[in-house]
Amino acid sequence: MARHTTLSWSLVALALAATASSAVLAQTTPAAAPAPAPAPDNVLTANVGLFSQYIFRGISQTAGQPAVQGGFDYAHSSGFYLGTWASNASWLEDFGVYNRSSLEWDFYGGFKSTFPGSEDWTYDVGLLYYYYPGRRNPGVINANTFEMYGAIGWKWLSAKASYNFQDYFGAQPTGQKTSGTWYFDFSAAYPVGESGVTLVGHYGILDVRNDGSGSSKVGYNDWKLGAAYTVPDGFVKGLEIGAYYTGNTAESGFYTDLTGYNTAKDTGVVYVKKTF
């Protein structure tokens, strides 16, 4: 009887020891990492920026004056996206085209994704409408412009072609329509390690259909070089500070406004921009 009792207590002790060992092992073995949360199907972002001037394809849209810009973007996980963007712009009044106009308002949408089997190669196709609300002078062509575009990107390099369906922002240098105009954009945005700094470069070619010549020539080539710094974290996360210098081969005659300001002259831009 005593031997049986001693054996029973021994079995209990072994069971308790095994339980204790399992508990210690459970406490010292790291738990499996939780599965990452799936990416949201719908993403809405906003941005706002202050620029020393508004430059579009190498040409000043504000005659060297500051610009406030901002917009909203919606993206679906499938690759489809929609967006709108606006900026103050003075060129229509400065050139005497409109007698009241101070806004450019853009609307765009498209599809962007990666090529099958490669995360480094991307493509992007879409439509873009430039809308200029205001009051036109008599006999002036509407400056609103409708384009389609297609782009291919590899890591930090991209090439984009835009095709215009209407007169190119109301221009008719030879009295003929300029619908069918092309703009080719070759760009680079090289990230410098983990510093948050990105070096940017761009070269563009504006090929205007039924273009003029000499002082009435609309087409040109343009370029840009600069850098941007994006704040990585903190309450200003998403804040971008940048600067660039831009120039072109445009004829000053066509791009000089009624005040004598050459909107095509080489110039520098500084800006601060916040994405939410």
Side-chain angles (χ1 to χ4, degrees):
M1 184 70 175
R3 181 181 297 174
H4 179 74
T5 303
T6 301
L7 181 59
S8 298
W9 280 109
S10 298
L11 292 173
V12 171
L14 287 172
L16 290 173
T19 303
S21 299
S22 299
V24 171
L25 184 62
Q27 292 175 2
T28 57
T29 303
D41 286 335
N42 304 284
V43 177
L44 181 64
T45 58
N47 64 85
V48 63
L50 176 62
F51 292 71
S52 60
Q53 62 176 309
Y54 172 22
I55 299 292
F56 174 72
R57 295 176 178 172
I59 306 296
S60 178
Q61 309 295 290
T62 53
Q65 299 302 306
V68 177
Q69 305 175 346
F72 297 91
D73 291 282
Y74 164 79
H76 189 266
S77 58
S78 63
F80 287 99
Y81 62 87
L82 293 170
T84 185
W85 179 90
S87 173
N88 60 293
S90 65
W91 69 273
L92 286 169
E93 288 189 3
D94 296 338
F95 281 85
V97 179
Y98 283 39
N99 58 54
R100 182 175 298 175
S101 176
S102 60
L103 177 69
E104 176 189 325
W105 192 1
D106 301 343
F107 305 89
Y108 50 88
F111 182 83
K112 183 176 183 179
S113 187
T114 58
F115 284 100
S118 175
E119 293 298 319
D120 292 335
W121 286 92
T122 62
Y123 64 92
D124 183 6
V125 293
L127 298 171
L128 172 58
Y129 188 72
Y130 304 85
Y131 172 57
Y132 297 93
R135 186 177 300 168
R136 285 180 287 157
N137 286 321
V140 170
I141 301 172
N142 196 322
N144 297 344
T145 300
F146 187 36
E147 293 183 341
M148 69 175 181
Y149 57 85
I152 295 177
W154 177 78
K155 293 185 178 180
W156 44 272
L157 296 173
S158 66
K160 180 180 180 180
S162 299
Y163 179 83
N164 178 259
F165 292 110
Q166 298 173 288
D167 288 309
Y168 188 73
F169 297 96
Q172 286 190 358
T174 61
Q176 297 175 291
K177 290 186 174 296
T178 51
S179 55
T181 290
W182 287 89
Y183 183 75
F184 302 96
D185 179 345
F186 305 95
S187 297
Y190 180 75
V192 183
E194 302 296 327
S195 64
V197 175
T198 300
L199 303 179
V200 297
H202 153 83
Y203 190 80
I205 303 171
L206 177 62
D207 182 14
V208 179
R209 185 184 180 192
N210 296 320
D211 201 356
S213 60
S215 61
S216 66
K217 182 176 175 58
V218 181
Y220 59 85
N221 299 347
D222 71 288
W223 56 269
K224 177 174 72 175
L225 291 173
Y229 172 71
T230 302
V231 179
D233 51 27
F235 75 97
V236 290
K237 181 178 181 180
L239 182 71
E240 179 182 322
I241 303 169
Y244 62 85
Y245 196 80
T246 181
N248 56 67
T249 62
E251 291 290 339
S252 60
F254 184 85
Y255 290 97
T256 298
D257 66 24
L258 297 180
T259 69
Y261 185 87
N262 179 14
T263 61
K265 68 179 181 179
D266 297 358
T267 188
V269 175
V270 294
Y271 68 90
V272 58
K273 178 181 176 182
K274 180 74 167 67
T275 300
F276 304 89

